[in-house]
Amino acid sequence: MLRRLDLRGYEGDLDEVLPRRSSGPGRPDAGDPDEDGPLEVVRAIIADVRRRGDEAILELGERFDGARPRSLVIGSDQMRDALAAIDEPVRAALEVAAESIRFHHEGQVRPDHEWQRDGLSVRSVTVPVERAGCYVPGGRASYPSTVLMTAIPARVAGVDEVVVCVPPGPDGRVADVTLAAAAVAGVDVVHPVGGAQAIAALAFGTRSIRPVDVVVGPGNVYVALAKREVAGRVGVPSAFAGPSEVVVVADASAPADFAAIDMVVQAEHGPDGLAWLVTWDESVADAVEAGIAKITATSPRREDIEATLAAAGYVVLVDGVVQAIEVANRIAPEHLQLMVEDAQEVAARVRHAGAVFCGPWSPASLGDYVAGPSHVLPTAGTARFAGALTVADFTKDVHVITADRSAITTLGPHVVALAEAEGLDAHAESVRRRLAAIEEADDA
């Protein structure tokens, strides 16, 4: 089920021997996405939604999701009804998760920054966007946790209106547990729309769906590519939040069954994902592989697990922990689990990962639900330059600059010099006139 790659004794460039991650278009080394099909499909969907609005959304939903909702707008009353209808343990879990997520993100809220010098006052004000759109996957499963992980940071940031798009089930309805999560998170409106058409609707608007300022949330490759296509029309985080990924680094101290189940956890999300085990102990590799086979054989999501592992499931044998982290950094995975001795010290060597989980008692599942940080993480290698979804993704910095006469006197000549060097005479003249006015006033 897993392919083995033995790098023991290898001292060359890892990029030359690590498998190219071609499990989904849009990945950095998967080739030109234009040649792979999905980008062309996404562009056609966006154009159709822009042209025909709600009608296109409903037709596309029937084609791709096999569902046609009665209404494209679900209000707060229906969310509250769903919250009342779900089982109490699930409701309690949603509230515990929401509390952790809110607590973590409140710590990210930055105070205004201000400084004064030479008659110049500069204040940087953090301003939330007015409307945020949160995409929540569906179809294969319900993801109420993603509602919490996207909508709560938006609310903490101070966004005025938060809307959610989620694919409906075959009956055209959104699952009660998803609507209940929306109620807990304080979502204003839920739209039963999925896929690239949802991203297009959030970006450009339709009769039923108002356009937003920022679009966030994970999804399949079509959703992720659609977000890239509408970037510029709306704010889109730089991370490619696509199919799920995990790299587990394990030594002899790691319980093999823990490592096995944690690889399956991400693989069960379905196709185009990635699941790697990196170890310097062959007995660990054998035990984890056996555990994965046993778990997969009885899993209700066996088909998804096998598809993921067949396409991007690897065991990488390395010389030791240093080379293991070099491999992990090259992959830049969404989830990195360090099931090794002195995991905290090893974590200090990690440069590229969406989230790092240290030790056998810190599974990625904890981060998926209740740890607090958003589980919307960079995939497809974008952890090299992007991080998890945060409050900052829903805000912008506005600079408030105030200068008095002394600031113009002190700094004005430097503005003139730089403007003249750039050949921008009007820029220089705007300051020259002020300098002249100050000189005239002083002479009077």
Side-chain angles (χ1 to χ4, degrees), residues 141 143 243-248 257-271 273-276 288 291-292 295-296 299 301 304-306 308-309 334-335 337 339 357 362-369 375:
Y143 295 100
S244 193
E245 304 170 346
V246 66
V247 170
V248 176
D257 58 334
F258 285 11
I261 190 63
D262 289 348
M263 290 183 69
V264 170
V265 162
Q266 303 307 323
E268 75 174 349
H269 279 290
L274 177 153
W276 287 36
V288 173
I292 290 173
I295 294 166
T296 302
S299 171
R301 300 180 71 86
D304 288 329
I305 296 166
E306 290 180 340
T308 299
L309 297 180
E334 178 187 21
H335 306 92
Q337 292 192 214
M339 301 179 70
F357 301 85
S362 307
S365 296
L366 199 67
D368 284 343
Y369 295 108
H375 71 199

Side-chain angles (χ1 to χ4, degrees), residues 20 42 91 160 181 265 300 306 334 377 384 427 433 442:
R20 293 174 63 83
V42 165
R91 176 172 182 157
D160 293 335
V265 162
E306 290 180 340
E334 178 187 21
L377 300 168
R384 292 178 296 108
H427 286 65
R433 294 189 180 194
D442 289 344

